[in-house]
């Protein structure tokens, strides 16, 4: 998402360089909620201060594939899985194996498994270091190369208290209403260049969206956002 936003802001900067002095409006599904780092980097004055949770959520997520042999597990009468093959090298070390680590009693199999786990941990640490540096570089790009934008719905919760949430201030509690509910859709614009928001469209009452979108009234799982601007020479 951070890379997508950098690509978008790079395009916006190109437009501003081509048409200096003109404001830019960018709208759509940004796939980021108002408490995410991406939202703060798009809208907050520089330098942006990100908390630990926001930084952690910028790091990529990796999913490991577990390789299991046929018959590695069997189901007991209570439905609990029990180990059937103690020679499986893909699982974690057993308690008995851990007790023998570094001693003469440690088997060759346990020693090989321990070394493999240590190697995997070292690789994971190195990858984490690379990811942190990469994220820091992208955050620095936001801080140094792009001016903040303003959200048309950034104070909507003050206008309609039914859309207020404790998770974030200003933006509505949701623009996407399915099993997952939250705000993903925005209308951003460059402030200070003669563009003023005259009015925004109100969002529908929650009772009209239950139990979830789309429904007979709203054909999308996202509700529409709309703004009317006044433009004058700055």
């Amino acid at each position: 998402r951070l890379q997508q936003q950098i690509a978008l802001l790079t395009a916006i900067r190109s437009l501003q360089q081509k048409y200096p002095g003109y404001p830019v409006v960018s709208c759509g599904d940004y796939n980021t909620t108002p408490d995410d780092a991406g939202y703060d980097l798009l809208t907050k004055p520089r330098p942006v201060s990100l908390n630990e949770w926001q930084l952690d959520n910028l790091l990529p997520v990796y999913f490991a594939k577990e390789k299991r042999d046929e018959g590695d597990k069997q189901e007991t009468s209570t439905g609990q899985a029990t180990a059937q093959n103690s020679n499986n090298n893909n699982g974690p070390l057993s308690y008995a194996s851990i007790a023998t680590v570094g001693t003469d009693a440690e088997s060759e199999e346990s020693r090989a498994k321990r070394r493999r786990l240590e190697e995997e941990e070292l690789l994971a640490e190195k990858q984490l270091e690379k990811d942190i540096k990469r994220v820091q570089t992208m955050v620095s790009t936001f801080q140094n190369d792009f001016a903040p934008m303003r959200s048309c719905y950034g104070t909507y919760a003050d206008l309609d208290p039914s859309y207020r949430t404790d998770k974030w201030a200003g933006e509505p509690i949701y623009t996407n209403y399915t099993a997952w509910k939250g705000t993903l859709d925005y209308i951003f614009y460059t402030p200070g260049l003669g563009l003023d928001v005259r009015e925004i469209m109100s969002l529908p009452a929650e009772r009209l969206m239950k139990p979830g979108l789309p429904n007979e009234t709203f054909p999308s799982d996202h509700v529409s956002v709309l703004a009317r601007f006044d433009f004058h020479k700055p």
Side-chain angles (χ1 to χ4, degrees):
R1 290 181 296 177
L2 202 59
Q3 289 177 312
Q4 292 172 340
Q5 290 173 5
I6 288 177
L8 174 65
L9 291 179
T10 300
I12 290 175
R13 185 175 57 184
S14 297
L15 284 173
Q16 291 174 318
Q17 292 171 347
K18 187 175 181 179
Y19 304 102
Y22 283 87
V24 176
V25 177
S26 176
C27 54
D29 178 358
Y30 276 70
N31 199 29
T32 185
T33 54
D35 56 346
D36 283 344
Y39 180 88
D40 282 358
L41 290 169
L42 282 168
T43 61
K44 296 295 179 65
R46 278 47 173 150
V48 180
S49 179
L50 301 177
N51 59 46
E52 185 176 351
W53 178 85
Q54 289 176 315
L55 289 171
D56 284 345
N57 278 272
L58 290 177
L59 294 172
V61 177
Y62 299 94
F63 297 93
K65 286 187 177 180
E66 292 188 2
K67 297 180 180 178
R68 299 188 179 277
D69 297 330
E70 291 291 334
D72 179 33
K73 288 189 174 183
Q74 65 177 359
E75 293 293 322
T76 65
S77 58
T78 60
Q80 295 177 335
T82 57
Q84 183 182 27
N85 185 358
S86 61
N87 294 323
N88 177 30
N89 286 323
N90 294 319
L93 290 169
S94 66
Y95 288 113
S97 299
I98 293 174
T100 62
V101 166
T103 69
D104 294 337
E106 184 179 15
S107 68
E108 187 61 33
E109 178 190 345
S110 296
R111 189 176 295 110
K113 182 182 291 187
R114 173 170 58 84
R115 288 172 179 168
R116 177 180 57 79
L117 293 173
E118 290 172 349
E119 290 172 357
E120 290 177 355
E121 183 177 358
L122 182 61
L123 289 174
E125 290 176 353
K126 290 181 178 179
Q127 185 61 52
L128 177 60
E129 291 177 1
K130 291 181 181 178
D131 291 338
I132 290 175
K133 289 180 180 179
R134 186 182 178 190
V135 166
Q136 289 174 338
T137 299
M138 288 191 286
V139 170
S140 296
T141 299
F142 268 95
Q143 303 272 31
N144 301 323
D145 296 352
F146 304 120
M149 303 187 77
R150 188 171 295 167
S151 171
C152 291
Y153 280 77
T155 58
Y156 184 80
D158 297 331
L159 303 174
D160 184 353
S162 69
Y163 269 78
R164 184 172 292 139
T165 174
D166 294 334
K167 294 180 180 179
W168 50 74
E171 293 285 352
I173 188 173
Y174 38 67
T175 61
N176 177 252
Y177 200 92
T178 57
W180 181 89
K181 300 172 181 61
T183 294
L184 300 173
D185 307 275
Y186 308 92
I187 302 174
F188 293 119
Y189 67 99
T190 49
L193 293 174
L195 202 62
D196 297 319
V197 180
R198 179 193 294 181
E199 56 187 352
I200 57 176
M201 183 174 67
S202 61
L203 301 178
E206 186 176 13
R207 60 181 174 81
L208 300 175
M209 297 183 286
K210 289 182 176 180
L213 300 182
N215 60 23
E216 294 180 354
T217 305
F218 302 100
S220 172
D221 57 341
H222 294 252
V223 297
S224 297
V225 291
L226 182 89
R228 180 175 292 172
F229 294 91
D230 285 332
F231 177 66
H232 57 85
K233 289 185 178 181

